[in-house]
Amino acid sequence: DGGITQSPKYLFRKEGQNVTLSCEQNLNHDAMYWYRQDPGQGLRLIYYSQIVNDFQKGDIAEGYSVSREKKESFPLTVTSAQKNPTAFYLCASSIDIAAGAYEQYFGPGTRLTVT
Amino acid sequence: AQSVTQLGSHVSVSEGALVLLRCNYSSSVPPYLFWYVQYPNQGLQLLLKYTTGATLVKGINGFEAEFKKSETSFHLTKPSAHMSDAAEYFCAVSPNTGGGNKLTFGTGTQLKVEL
C-alpha cells in the first residue's frame, strides 16, 4: 500500500534535548511538508520541500530543522531552541508543490511530549 | 494573503440530523478549497476538494460542499449524521495564482454526534 509513515507514534524527551521525527513516503511525490498541530489552532506549516536537497521555511520554522537527502524521506529535528515543542506533528506530501490544485496526503502523526 | 475562518469550534447534532459545518475564506482571487477530516490521534484524510467546474462537490462518506463565490464560502454538509462522523473537520485553501501548494488551514470544527 502506498502512503506516508511517521515514527514513532509517541515520543517523550527531556527539555534541552534535540529529537528527530521520521517521515517516509512511497507515493513518489515530489513535495513534502511538516505541520505542527496544537489544540484550537489548526495546522501550522513548519517546513516544506519541493525537491531533494531543497527546502523552505514555513510560518513557524524557528527551533526546527529538516533535511531532504532522498525523495522519499523528510526528517524533522526539534531542537532545544524550540521554546514550546510539545505538540502533535504531521508530515504530508503532494505530487507537486507548484500546482495548488493537488491535495496533500497526511501521515498518522507523532505526538511529542517534552518535560 | 489568504485566510480561512471556520465558524463554531464545536458543533453537536443528533444522529440522523443534518450536518452543516461552515467555512469562509478571504482571498483576492478564489482559491482552491479543501475539506479534511481527522479522527483522534490520527492524520488528516481528504473528504473533498473544489478546483474548477461544478460548484457542488461530492466527497467520501456522504459529505458534500458548495463553493459560493459571492459569499466566499465553502460549507460542508451531510444530510444524515452517523455516530462514525464524530471527528474534527478542517477547511483549507491553497492559491490558484501560481503560488504553489501551501495549504492554509482553518482552526477546525469538532463534530459531536449524539444518540
Side-chain angles (χ1 to χ4, degrees):
Chain A
D1 282 336
I4 301 176
T5 57
Q6 291 186 243
S7 60
K9 180 71 174 174
Y10 298 94
L11 191 53
F12 298 89
R13 280 294 183 271
K14 295 290 187 185
E15 193 173 326
Q17 293 179 336
N18 291 356
V19 60
T20 297
L21 282 59
S22 168
C23 176
E24 304 275 333
Q25 56 100 357
N26 61 3
L27 299 168
N28 199 33
H29 285 172
D30 284 327
M32 296 187 74
Y33 312 79
W34 273 106
Y35 292 92
R36 172 184 171 131
Q37 185 177 18
D38 297 283
Q41 295 193 44
L43 278 70
R44 293 181 290 168
L45 183 64
I46 305 173
Y47 268 98
Y48 62 99
S49 169
Q50 184 170 356
I51 57 172
V52 173
N53 293 323
D54 180 70
F55 45 84
Q56 305 295 328
K57 293 182 179 180
D59 301 318
I60 56 165
E62 185 175 350
Y64 299 97
S65 65
V66 294
S67 63
R68 185 90 185 274
E69 297 177 1
K70 299 185 296 183
K71 184 176 183 177
E72 56 271 21
S73 179
F74 191 41
L76 173 74
T77 296
V78 184
T79 75
S80 57
Q82 168 50 231
K83 295 190 185 330
N84 186 18
T86 294
F88 190 52
Y89 291 88
L90 288 159
C91 179
S93 71
S94 66
I95 293 174
D96 182 347
I97 199 169
Y102 292 120
E103 63 264 35
Q104 293 182 17
Y105 295 78
F106 285 81
T110 292
R111 187 166 297 281
L112 173 64
T113 302
V114 177
T115 58
Chain B
Q2 55 189 11
S3 64
V4 180
T5 301
Q6 291 185 240
L7 290 175
S9 59
H10 291 81
V11 170
S12 184
V13 301
S14 300
E15 191 174 35
L18 171 72
V19 175
L20 171 60
L21 304 182
R22 299 178 186 276
C23 173
N24 288 87
Y25 68 88
S26 174
S27 176
S28 56
V29 177
Y32 299 119
L33 297 149
F34 304 81
W35 274 101
Y36 285 86
V37 61
Q38 183 181 34
Y39 299 98
N41 290 312
Q42 294 186 27
L44 277 65
Q45 179 184 9
L46 181 71
L47 278 176
L48 49 80
K49 68 177 182 180
Y50 172 77
T51 54
T52 60
T55 56
L56 181 62
V57 180
K58 295 186 184 301
I60 63 171
N61 302 339
F63 285 93
E64 62 183 36
E66 186 171 12
F67 168 58
K68 292 187 176 181
K69 182 178 177 180
S70 61
E71 299 177 7
T72 61
S73 69
F74 191 56
H75 301 331
L76 182 70
T77 61
K78 182 174 180 179
S80 176
H82 295 160
M83 296 297 290
S84 59
D85 294 327
E88 189 157 23
Y89 293 80
F90 292 94
C91 182
V93 301
S94 69
N96 69 355
T97 54
N101 197 18
K102 288 188 291 178
L103 289 174
T104 299
F105 286 86
T107 53
T109 296
Q110 188 73 46
L111 176 65
K112 182 178 180 181
V113 182
E114 299 175 316
L115 287 172

